[in-house]
Amino acid sequence: MNEVWLVILPLIAGYLLDLAFGDPRTIPHPVVGFGNMISWAERHFNCGRFRKWKGAVVALSFPLFAGMAGWGITVGTLAVGDWCFCIVASVFVFYGLANHSLIREGREVVDILKKQGVEAGRRRLSWIVGRDTSELSPKGIYTAVLETMAENLSDGVVAPLFYYALGGFPAMMAYKMVNTLDSMIGYKDERYRQFGCMAARLDDVLNYIPARLTALFMALVAYRPGLFRFIYRYCHQHASPNSGFPESAMAGILDCRFGGAHVYHGLLVEKPYIGDNDREISYADFRIAVRVNHMVTLLTVVSIVAVYLCVFIK
């Protein structure tokens, strides 16, 4: 089989699997294993002296391990046959994508908010965001869901696909390890400031291009007049060098306002506002965000396929 099709077929199959099923909750998942590894390392090494250096070793060695394991699986499955590799690679692409699960988690929050009230919505939202949700209004809950969907469209969809395009599923898994490290230890509080420093910086570096691609693709699939100017104006209104791009794109598409003061791990964080239309947000806005996420995911997959067909097929 042509090597190009060994990239394209697993990509399409993994995308379709994610579109249909999302992350399984009852069978083993590589990211769960990544999380267990990180938890073990944090318990054993985030103590005593040299925490920053120990955290740097973890942040660099764990993604290398994930990539090398993926490379070993690639060599082993190709030795069996192209069909074996395609099946295994498709499963890893499926595991590497998070769009279906991202939308599912967001929908569960807003459905519970509608059916069971604010307290239930706050509790369910706390499963997917790092901020304190105990005092959020319904508008604050909707805003948190939309911000999370925009940010994770980059982290959980475009970035994994970007690294798959560069290095197959081993590179995709290495990126997922970096992103998991950042989500677990990449905080600036007293516990993680030193140990998680390298993980946070590495995640920022790896997401630099994907975050900007995500904003571009969001603007292309849901363009409205002035959207590019809006993104340019607000994309740096965020503590993260990357998250402001997809969040400003989503705020511009919905003509709403993100940001403001939130509590993270007991600390009050004043986020600059993204947008200036402080309007009410409703379920209709969530449905628009869902369409945007689906369209951006499809556009990313189609773009990778097109590049491979145009560049590598003689």
Side-chain angles (χ1 to χ4, degrees), residues 170-190:
M172 191 183 210
M173 289 298 107
Y175 167 78
K176 294 293 288 187
M177 177 65 87
V178 171
N179 192 240
T180 307
L181 280 159
D182 180 64
S183 68
M184 293 182 66
I185 65 174
Y187 298 104
K188 295 181 179 179
D189 59 12
E190 185 61 30

Side-chain angles (χ1 to χ4, degrees), residues 124-201:
R124 185 61 182 84
L125 176 64
S126 68
W127 295 11
I128 64 172
V129 299
R131 73 189 64 175
D132 182 1
T133 65
S134 61
E135 301 296 329
L136 290 181
S137 64
K139 177 183 175 182
I141 294 172
Y142 270 116
T143 301
V145 169
L146 294 174
E147 289 176 352
T148 299
M149 289 182 66
E151 180 178 357
N152 286 294
L153 179 58
S154 175
D155 294 353
V157 179
V158 176
L161 289 173
F162 177 79
Y163 287 102
Y164 176 82
L166 292 181
F169 77 82
M172 191 183 210
M173 289 298 107
Y175 167 78
K176 294 293 288 187
M177 177 65 87
V178 171
N179 192 240
T180 307
L181 280 159
D182 180 64
S183 68
M184 293 182 66
I185 65 174
Y187 298 104
K188 295 181 179 179
D189 59 12
E190 185 61 30
R191 178 174 177 177
Y192 296 115
R193 183 179 292 111
Q194 295 186 56
F195 188 72
C197 177
M198 179 59 76
R201 289 180 182 275

Side-chain angles (χ1 to χ4, degrees), residues 119-295:
E119 285 297 329
R122 290 168 176 166
R123 286 194 298 272
R124 185 61 182 84
L125 176 64
S126 68
W127 295 11
I128 64 172
V129 299
R131 73 189 64 175
D132 182 1
T133 65
S134 61
E135 301 296 329
L136 290 181
S137 64
K139 177 183 175 182
I141 294 172
Y142 270 116
T143 301
V145 169
L146 294 174
E147 289 176 352
T148 299
M149 289 182 66
E151 180 178 357
N152 286 294
L153 179 58
S154 175
D155 294 353
V157 179
V158 176
L161 289 173
F162 177 79
Y163 287 102
Y164 176 82
L166 292 181
F169 77 82
M172 191 183 210
M173 289 298 107
Y175 167 78
K176 294 293 288 187
M177 177 65 87
V178 171
N179 192 240
T180 307
L181 280 159
D182 180 64
S183 68
M184 293 182 66
I185 65 174
Y187 298 104
K188 295 181 179 179
D189 59 12
E190 185 61 30
R191 178 174 177 177
Y192 296 115
R193 183 179 292 111
Q194 295 186 56
F195 188 72
C197 177
M198 179 59 76
R201 289 180 182 275
L202 187 58
D203 186 76
D204 287 342
V205 170
L206 293 187
N207 278 299
Y208 186 88
I209 294 175
R212 287 148 181 83
L213 278 178
T214 304
L216 173 62
F217 286 173
M218 292 170 76
L220 291 176
V221 303
Y223 178 75
R224 69 177 184 84
L227 181 55
F228 285 103
R229 289 196 302 273
F230 184 97
I231 295 171
Y232 180 77
R233 177 182 177 186
Y234 289 106
C235 62
H236 296 294
Q237 296 291 93
H238 201 287
S240 164
N242 300 316
S243 298
F245 284 83
E247 288 192 20
S248 62
M250 185 66 79
I253 291 166
L254 298 175
D255 188 26
C256 66
R257 189 175 77 174
F258 293 161
H262 301 292
V263 176
Y264 291 85
H265 303 281
L267 300 175
L268 179 65
V269 178
E270 292 281 353
K271 289 186 175 183
Y273 285 114
I274 297 176
D276 53 16
N277 188 3
D278 188 22
R279 66 174 181 84
E280 289 298 317
I281 299 176
S282 68
Y283 194 81
D285 297 298
F286 172 75
R287 293 178 62 184
I288 293 172
V290 169
R291 289 198 298 271
V292 169
N293 279 38
H294 277 307
M295 293 170 70

Side-chain angles (χ1 to χ4, degrees), residues 54-129:
K54 289 185 285 188
V57 171
V58 169
L60 294 173
S61 62
F62 278 26
L64 180 62
F65 168 80
M68 292 299 291
W71 179 80
I73 293 170
T74 297
V75 172
T77 52
L78 284 173
V80 175
D82 290 350
W83 60 271
C84 181
F85 170 79
C86 284
I87 291 172
V88 172
S90 299
V91 172
F92 275 101
V93 173
F94 167 51
Y95 280 137
L97 289 176
N99 191 50
H100 182 109
S101 299
L102 173 61
I103 293 171
R104 180 180 63 200
E105 296 287 342
R107 180 174 284 115
E108 288 180 2
V109 173
V110 298
D111 285 347
I112 288 174
L113 173 64
K114 288 173 60 180
K115 296 175 182 178
Q116 301 180 29
V118 177
E119 285 297 329
R122 290 168 176 166
R123 286 194 298 272
R124 185 61 182 84
L125 176 64
S126 68
W127 295 11
I128 64 172
V129 299

